[in-house]
């Protein structure tokens, strides 16, 4: 749960710090880009507050998650945008290998985007050096497989079973 708030806060702080740089403040295009990032992350935090309320309802068995058809590649690209400043701040790189041809999936885009953002945030956070992250998609039978590879130490098998 804390990731959903820490990641946008970190991105907003990085954007604000960047805007303090005299070279950036003079560049209207960069200032507008950072302002848009701040606006997007603020909107995302608002959505997270709504998610907290939804989770409360879910725990009380009062919530129906609404799944809609989405393009998985667009959802992944959106998630990458949320961590872009953080990856840039660590001099890292995210490379996509979006090879799935059938990309339409039924999902709750807010919740699924959060899952991808959390995984990317952990990959960045736990990379011992400059984060190098690869994201793959592929079709296997009627499924879309999403793989995220990083250079971190990884998780124990026990932790993996609890999470996945």
């Amino acid at each position: 749960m804390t990731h959903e708030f820490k990641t946008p806060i970190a991105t907003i702080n990085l954007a604000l710090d960047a805007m303090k740089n005299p070279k950036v403040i003079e560049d209207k295009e960069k200032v507008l880009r950072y302002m848009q990032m701040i606006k997007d992350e603020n909107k995302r935090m608002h959505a997270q507050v709504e998610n907290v309320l939804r989770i409360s309802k879910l725990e009380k068995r009062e919530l129906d998650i609404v799944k809609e058809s989405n393009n998985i590649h667009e959802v992944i690209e959106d998630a990458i945008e949320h961590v872009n400043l953080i990856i840039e701040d660590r001099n890292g790189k995210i490379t996509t290998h979006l090879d799935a041809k059938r990309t339409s999936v039924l999902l709750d885009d807010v919740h699924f985007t959060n899952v991808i953002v959390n995984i990317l945030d952990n990959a960045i956070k736990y990379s011992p050096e400059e984060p190098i992250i690869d994201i793959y998609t592929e079709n296997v039978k009627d499924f879309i497989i999403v793989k995220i590879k990083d250079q971190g130490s990884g998780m124990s098998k026990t932790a993996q079973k609890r999470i996945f």
Side-chain angles (χ1 to χ4, degrees), residues 21-54:
N21 182 324
K23 291 179 183 176
V24 171
I25 202 84
E26 308 261 332
D27 187 337
K28 185 177 179 180
E29 188 175 306
K30 282 186 180 178
V31 169
L32 290 173
R33 177 178 169 237
Y34 289 130
M35 287 175 65
Q36 185 62 48
M37 284 181 175
I38 292 168
K39 182 178 180 181
D40 292 345
E41 293 304 308
N42 189 39
K43 182 178 174 184
R44 186 162 166 246
M45 280 197 303
H46 181 268
Q48 296 312 331
V49 170
E50 293 297 321
N51 282 339
V52 169
L53 297 173
R54 279 193 218 127

Side-chain angles (χ1 to χ4, degrees), residues 53-65:
L53 297 173
R54 279 193 218 127
I55 288 169
S56 175
K57 286 184 175 183
L58 181 63
E59 288 172 349
K60 295 176 185 176
R61 303 202 186 278
E62 297 174 0
L63 176 69
D64 293 324
I65 292 178

Side-chain angles (χ1 to χ4, degrees), residues 112-158:
F112 196 83
T113 300
N114 286 340
V115 168
I116 302 295
V117 168
N118 288 348
I119 293 170
L120 293 175
D121 188 50
N122 280 338
I124 295 165
K125 190 182 303 177
Y126 295 110
S127 289
E129 298 171 15
E130 296 172 344
I132 306 296
I133 302 168
D134 289 280
I135 303 175
Y136 302 85
T137 63
E138 63 179 302
N139 296 116
V140 176
K141 298 185 181 177
D142 291 333
F143 299 98
I144 298 174
I145 307 295
V146 177
K147 298 177 186 176
I148 300 175
K149 178 182 174 189
D150 63 55
Q151 307 298 314
S153 59
M155 293 185 285
S156 69
K157 294 290 182 191
T158 306

Side-chain angles (χ1 to χ4, degrees), residues 115 119 155 159-164:
V115 168
I119 293 170
M155 293 185 285
Q160 289 178 23
K161 286 180 183 177
R162 283 193 357 244
I163 295 170
F164 301 107

